[in-house]
Amino acid sequence: MKKVKIHITLKEGVLDPQGKAVQNSLNTLGYDGVGEVRVGKYMELFIEDSADIEKQVEEMCRKLLANPVIENYDYTIEEGVTQ
Amino acid sequence: MKKVKIHITLKEGVLDPQGKAVQNSLNTLGYDGVGEVRVGKYMELFIEDSADIEKQVEEMCRKLLANPVIENYDYTIEEGVTQ
């Protein structure tokens, strides 16, 4: 069993209204030092080990998890604990 | 300027319907090896440097960004590029 950690973030230049809302809220709460905020997704997947696991994960990201038109993704594959 | 990376994840034992939906979709697409999936949030904040930046970030996570009842958070504070 492998543990795959995936980060999905908006590409540079793509507007991030959710991040903007977080920034405004933080500023309103008195955290004036907060500048740009970008909000992304983080996923942990437990996957059975196989020879082509990296190819599989790459495919999953491209086909289902991220929208490659506006999002970047990166992942790390780690030894997972047995569940 | 510091770059703060924040991960917010559901606590163990808290149901994650979004993760379950992702798992089902991946299985349906033919990725049978995919077991549990947990979906969380990932944020990048650019914050002006200050002596108590760590305390500030801790407070922001607890008060606004995460729900400490059902979510865990952790963060790293890095040297950010000037924007």
Side-chain angles (χ1 to χ4, degrees):
Chain A
M1 209 71 165
K2 297 277 191 181
K3 183 177 183 176
V4 180
K5 298 180 175 179
I6 302 175
H7 287 92
I8 297 170
T9 49
L10 284 171
K11 287 186 178 174
E12 281 219 35
V14 177
L15 283 181
D16 183 354
Q18 195 184 357
K20 192 72 197 158
V22 171
Q23 182 188 345
N24 289 345
S25 300
L26 286 170
N27 292 346
T28 307
L29 282 175
Y31 302 105
D32 302 319
V34 177
E36 199 187 0
V37 176
R38 305 286 284 176
V39 178
K41 272 170 283 186
Y42 170 67
M43 296 185 205
E44 292 177 349
L45 279 72
F46 291 88
I47 308 185
E48 270 168 41
D49 201 4
S50 68
D52 63 344
I53 186 166
E54 190 154 345
K55 195 175 137 259
Q56 276 190 33
V57 173
E58 179 74 33
E59 235 178 54
M60 287 181 214
C61 286
R62 222 180 39 237
K63 283 199 195 164
L64 184 82
L65 304 176
N67 176 354
V69 178
I70 55 166
E71 290 172 328
N72 291 321
Y73 54 87
D74 67 87
Y75 51 85
T76 57
I77 301 175
E78 296 174 8
E79 225 28 80
V81 287
T82 316
Q83 298 226 287
Chain B
M1 209 71 163
K2 296 277 189 181
K3 182 176 183 177
V4 180
K5 297 181 176 179
I6 302 176
H7 287 92
I8 298 171
T9 49
L10 283 170
K11 286 188 179 173
E12 282 219 34
V14 177
L15 283 180
D16 182 354
Q18 196 184 357
K20 192 70 197 160
V22 171
Q23 182 189 344
N24 290 344
S25 301
L26 286 171
N27 292 346
T28 307
L29 282 174
Y31 302 105
D32 302 318
V34 177
E36 199 187 0
V37 176
R38 306 285 286 177
V39 178
K41 272 171 281 186
Y42 170 68
M43 296 186 203
E44 291 177 350
L45 279 72
F46 292 87
I47 308 184
E48 270 168 40
D49 202 4
S50 68
D52 64 346
I53 186 165
E54 190 155 344
K55 193 174 138 262
Q56 276 190 34
V57 173
E58 178 74 33
E59 233 178 55
M60 286 181 214
C61 286
R62 221 181 37 237
K63 282 199 196 163
L64 184 82
L65 304 176
N67 176 353
V69 179
I70 54 166
E71 290 171 329
N72 290 321
Y73 55 85
D74 67 88
Y75 51 84
T76 56
I77 301 174
E78 297 173 8
E79 226 27 82
V81 288
T82 317
Q83 299 227 286

